Amino acid sequence: MTTAKDIMHAGAECVREHETLAEAARIMKERDVGALPICGENQKLLGIITDRDIVLRCVAAGLDPAHTTAGQLALGRPLVVEADEDVEQVLEMMEEHRVRRLPVINHPEHKLVGMISEADIARGLPQERVAEFVAAVCSEKV
């Protein structure tokens, strides 16, 4: 059985909830990633921030990324998957919620251990399954 841990990229770096969006953007650029988990105390996952969030929910809304914090954009409860979850269940969850990135946590500590992105799926799964995933996540909602 292939698990989330088998396809994730380990060592995902968090942006702290009190760090600015300008700092989050700098980290994204350095790491060449489009999303970062937002972590609070003890590596507790609070949400995910994407480059798109910074542009649309901060810059386009007239906010200053040098003064707006990552925590201010952390809305709701983040969708996560446990490291030992079967990869097919992971894909079904991502397809159902139409998400392209998913934090991976360990159990029972509930600490971030990695992230799964579209690129990880493309590298770790058969081409036919990757095509199904992309079609499901990217298709227009009816």
Side-chain angles (χ1 to χ4, degrees):
M1 170 178 85
T2 303
T3 66
K5 185 177 182 177
D6 296 328
I7 67 167
M8 74 177 194
H9 58 273
E13 182 175 343
C14 285
V15 61
R16 300 284 173 208
E17 66 182 315
H18 299 295
E19 289 184 272
T20 66
L21 297 182
E23 178 64 12
R26 185 193 61 73
I27 294 168
M28 286 180 192
K29 181 180 181 206
E30 283 180 4
R31 303 286 186 261
D32 192 28
V33 296
L36 290 172
I38 303 169
C39 294
E41 297 296 318
N42 300 318
Q43 288 290 97
K44 183 177 180 192
L45 187 64
L46 302 175
I48 296 178
I49 187 163
T50 66
D51 47 8
R52 190 170 201 270
D53 290 331
I54 294 171
V55 171
L56 298 180
R57 295 177 52 210
C58 178
V59 177
L63 301 174
D64 181 356
H67 294 98
T68 305
T69 66
Q72 289 175 279
L73 266 59
L75 302 175
R77 186 178 179 139
L79 188 64
V80 298
V81 64
E82 292 184 9
D84 60 358
E85 189 74 47
D86 179 72
V87 75
E88 192 56 39
Q89 291 178 304
V90 171
L91 293 177
E92 289 172 10
M93 179 188 302
M94 292 174 79
E95 290 168 351
E96 177 184 340
H97 295 279
R98 299 172 63 104
V99 296
R100 298 169 191 224
R101 300 166 183 103
L102 192 61
V104 181
I105 59 167
N106 66 358
H107 186 74
E109 296 87 19
H110 197 79
K111 293 205 178 185
L112 181 71
V113 294
M115 292 279 287
I116 295 175
S117 68
E118 286 177 299
D120 299 314
I121 292 166
R123 281 189 296 271
L125 297 175
Q127 188 174 7
E128 298 80 24
R129 186 58 182 105
V130 173
E132 290 173 19
F133 171 79
V134 171
V137 171
C138 297
S139 67
E140 294 288 323
K141 283 188 175 181
V142 179

